[in-house]
Amino acid sequence: MTGVIGPGGTIGILGGGQLGRMLAMAAARLGLRTHIFAPKGDNPAFEVAHAHTEAAYDDFSALDAFAADVDVVTYEFENVPVETARHLAERVPVRPEPRALEVAQDRLIEKSFVQELGLATPKFAPVDDAAKLGSALARVGMPALLKTRRLGYDGKGQAILYPGDSAFDAWERLGRVPCILEAFVTFSCEISVIAARGMDGAFVAYDIPRNVHEGGILRRSTVPAGISDAMQRRAVEMARTIAEGLNYVGVLAVEMFVADVGNGEEVLLINEMAPRVHNSGHWTEAACAISQFEQHIRAICGWPLGNPARHSDCVMENILGSEVEHWRAIAGEDNAVLHLYGKREAREGRKMGHVTRLKPLSHD
Ligand code: AMP
């Protein structure tokens, strides 16, 4: 296979946050080097990488120097400008391809793409301007969520609309930017598929976590999710369809709602995808021999994918803001695997670390 990067090779990572940090640590364990490219800021990935470039994503001379130093480029952050990824792709392989970024960055493109693949999403309608609000509301109904098409994360850039609320006011609060209106889903739970596709088309998925969000931020992921085997298989097939549709290489996360459609019947609706390792997959570093981080490195370097089997049940909990002060108590717990990101400032709601609490494997 051409394009394989062996030990001693250098992986370029766009983005300097905790995901980049964990990717760099996994790469180091396989004898690979990492060079992180990120704009100025608190970049915890710099501390564990072989090299870093602190520059803006539109600093093309810095990008050229970065491209010359690495064998492959990947990203840990899906809001890297697509032009940055395309510029790099003319110089060095970029995996996954920039198209994955383009799809994931815009909720309208993402949901339309998913529907074109024949997969279900919550009902939605574009809201390009104020004139579209009325027709979108007529199509989607209430309650609904108005979300900015771009740059939304961790529940930011969203407004919920109940009957009687002014959609126009909500749109104004979101900054009068292009949005989508999405039906509010009554779900029994949220799950995600963390899957990997190799350069040879091989595909593997981890067991599915059940995810609980608070204030739009992931609070915890529990494995097993307590959903039926048939639903697990269906969710994995949906993620595979997306990965194949994008000719994807690397780890991909697909967040889904298990939606209650009445009569006790449940369906899977895709909420969003992330073209990268994902917070709801952090438990894999503690409960699997091969973590999502190593899996991503293997995939983008053309190595055989690792076995995603789980050796323990677990609950991964995010450590947010000042909760990090409890590090000592958590470190003292039995069967708890603590991971701290080395961030300097513990702002409220900021992801400072996570802990995965392990339990013996159940056979449900
Ligand atoms: P998002 O940024 O789109 O992933 O949204 C963050 C969280 O808000 C999701 O994980 C859900 O808990 C909730 N949410 C988003 N969209 C919907 C929806 N259409 N219906 C109900 N809850 C939603």
Side-chain angles (χ1 to χ4, degrees):
M1 196 161 61
T2 55
V4 172
I5 296 148
T10 302
I11 299 165
I13 301 175
L14 297 171
Q18 67 267 19
L19 301 179
R21 180 178 169 109
M22 292 187 267
L23 285 168
M25 288 163 69
R29 213 173 70 151
L30 298 178
L32 289 150
R33 304 166 68 87
T34 45
H35 182 154
I36 313 280
F37 188 107
K40 210 168 163 48
D42 187 1
N43 287 303
F46 287 180
E47 286 174 10
V48 300
H50 295 91
H52 68 259
T53 299
E54 194 176 67
Y57 287 127
D58 61 359
D59 181 339
F60 292 98
S61 60
L63 287 171
D64 290 348
F66 172 67
D69 185 52
V70 303
D71 299 300
V72 63
V73 168
T74 192
Y75 25 86
E76 60 104 53
F77 172 61
E78 71 265 33
N79 287 319
V80 170
V82 175
E83 310 80 78
T84 301
R86 291 209 198 289
H87 181 85
L88 289 167
E90 285 165 12
R91 289 155 179 80
V92 64
V94 174
R95 299 178 189 140
E97 288 174 13
R99 164 102 178 114
L101 273 185
E102 193 175 27
V103 170
Q105 279 177 2
D106 183 317
R107 292 186 191 273
L108 181 62
I109 298 177
E110 179 181 58
K111 287 211 161 53
S112 307
F113 172 75
V114 164
Q115 286 200 344
E116 278 159 25
L117 292 171
L119 307 175
T121 68
K123 207 188 269 182
F124 68 91
V127 177
D128 301 331
D129 51 43
K132 292 273 172 51
L133 276 169
S135 58
L137 278 168
R139 199 174 127 58
V140 168
M142 291 251 204
L145 276 164
L146 189 63
K147 300 184 178 178
T148 58
R149 278 175 58 174
R150 305 177 66 84
L151 300 174
Y153 69 99
D154 285 350
K156 293 189 176 67
Q158 302 192 8
I160 186 159
L161 292 172
Y162 292 106
D165 287 349
S166 159
F168 183 77
D169 288 354
W171 185 65
E172 275 210 323
R173 277 200 304 278
L174 293 178
R176 294 171 163 259
V177 292
C179 288
I180 66 166
L181 187 74
E182 217 178 278
F184 189 85
V185 176
T186 313
F187 54 77
S188 49
C189 68
E190 291 187 75
I191 60 169
S192 51
V193 180
I194 310 295
R197 188 164 179 273
M199 279 165 56
D200 57 357
F203 179 88
V204 298
Y206 289 95
D207 284 343
I208 288 180
R210 169 186 293 243
N211 304 321
V212 172
H213 293 83
E214 285 171 9
I217 302 176
L218 183 67
R219 178 74 263 183
R220 77 184 64 81
S221 296
T222 304
V223 201
I227 59 172
S228 68
D229 287 350
M231 190 163 278
Q232 291 230 27
R233 280 196 298 274
R234 170 82 190 121
V236 169
E237 276 315 304
M238 288 165 85
R240 184 202 286 261
T241 301
I242 293 176
E244 288 176 356
L246 289 168
N247 193 26
Y248 197 88
V249 173
V251 165
L252 167 79
V254 185
E255 294 186 81
M256 303 180 192
F257 300 120
V258 180
D260 192 345
V261 288
N263 316 322
E265 207 195 319
E266 290 182 325
V267 295
L268 286 171
L269 302 178
I270 293 178
N271 175 28
E272 62 179 0
M273 56 163 273
R276 53 167 171 78
V277 288
H278 195 255
N279 196 169
S280 66
H282 287 2
W283 58 273
T284 58
E285 72 178 346
C288 303
I290 310 291
S291 73
Q292 62 165 348
F293 307 103
E294 177 170 336
Q295 198 72 284
H296 186 72
I297 298 296
R298 284 172 173 247
I300 63 168
C301 291
W303 291 31
L305 297 182
N307 184 341
R310 177 169 58 85
H311 54 67
S312 298
D313 287 1
C314 63
V315 180
M316 186 288 307
E317 185 111 23
N318 271 337
I319 298 173
L320 303 172
S322 60
E323 291 166 8
V324 72
E325 288 162 20
H326 304 302
W327 61 269
R328 203 164 195 287
I330 300 169
E333 286 180 37
D334 272 349
N335 304 316
V337 182
L338 175 63
H339 197 139
L340 299 174
Y341 308 148
K343 292 184 184 174
R344 286 181 222 126
E345 206 192 326
R347 288 192 299 274
E348 196 191 331
R350 191 170 194 214
K351 291 173 180 170
M352 302 301 292
H354 63 269
V355 53
T356 305
R357 298 188 170 92
L358 298 172
K359 284 182 281 186
L361 199 61
S362 62
H363 296 280
D364 68 352

